[in-house]
Amino acid sequence: MSDTLPLLGLFSSSFLSATLLPGNSEVVFAALLTTVETDPLLLLAVAIVGNTLGGLTNVVIGRLAPIPKHHPRLALAMKWLQRFGAPALLLSWLPIMGDLLCLLAGWLRLPWWSVTFFMLIGKSLRYIAVMLITLKGLSFFS
């Protein structure tokens, strides 16, 4: 089987999982780690790039869209960003809250480079953890 289709699927899953659309790219990533003969570091890179670009899409949406009035998670995410700034985007991988952090980073017009940097680090650490757990789990049961 060609490497292109699994990589495209992983990229799509990672990208969509980082947007407001529901998704679970960790499952796709772990499944591909265990079933395809592609370099795990290539799978890791594709997942990280797709998820980071999806998060940056939320930042762009935040720059373009008005913020809704009141929502408990919105208030919490806003406090995090106002207190910690772009480093709060280390948590951009969290379900729901991460999406809000990215949207609000756009709304607050946080600097692109620092937003991208911290988002990339947070998302990378998550996928590295999934990769290590998956691969160590395989070796444990082998």
Side-chain angles (χ1 to χ4, degrees):
M1 176 190 329
S2 169
D3 284 348
T4 306
L5 192 56
L7 292 174
L8 184 59
L10 177 59
F11 179 85
S12 300
S13 174
S14 299
F15 182 91
L16 292 173
S17 292
T19 65
L20 296 174
L21 299 173
N24 198 343
S25 63
E26 296 87 355
V27 173
V28 174
F29 179 56
L32 289 176
L33 281 170
T34 61
T35 60
V36 298
E37 294 185 19
T38 303
D39 181 8
L41 293 178
L42 178 59
L43 292 172
L44 178 67
V46 168
I48 291 168
V49 168
N51 208 247
T52 301
L53 290 175
L56 289 172
T57 300
N58 283 342
V59 174
V60 169
I61 291 169
R63 286 182 178 243
L64 299 175
I67 298 296
K69 296 280 183 207
H70 297 291
H71 192 279
R73 289 190 184 126
L74 178 69
L76 180 60
M78 184 68 87
K79 283 182 186 178
W80 273 89
L81 277 174
Q82 288 174 333
R83 181 172 179 192
F84 298 107
L89 291 167
L90 289 169
L91 301 175
S92 64
W93 60 271
L94 291 171
I96 301 170
M97 180 61 89
D99 297 336
L100 283 174
L101 287 170
C102 293
L103 284 168
L104 292 172
W107 189 70
L108 292 172
R109 305 290 197 265
L110 294 180
W112 278 106
W113 291 111
S114 58
V115 165
T116 303
F117 175 76
F118 287 109
M119 188 183 303
L120 178 69
I121 297 298
K123 291 175 181 291
S124 296
L125 291 174
R126 181 218 13 218
Y127 282 111
I128 289 169
V130 170
M131 183 173 77
L132 292 174
I133 290 167
T134 301
L135 296 178
K136 290 292 182 187
L138 284 177
S139 66
F140 179 76
F141 289 110
S142 297

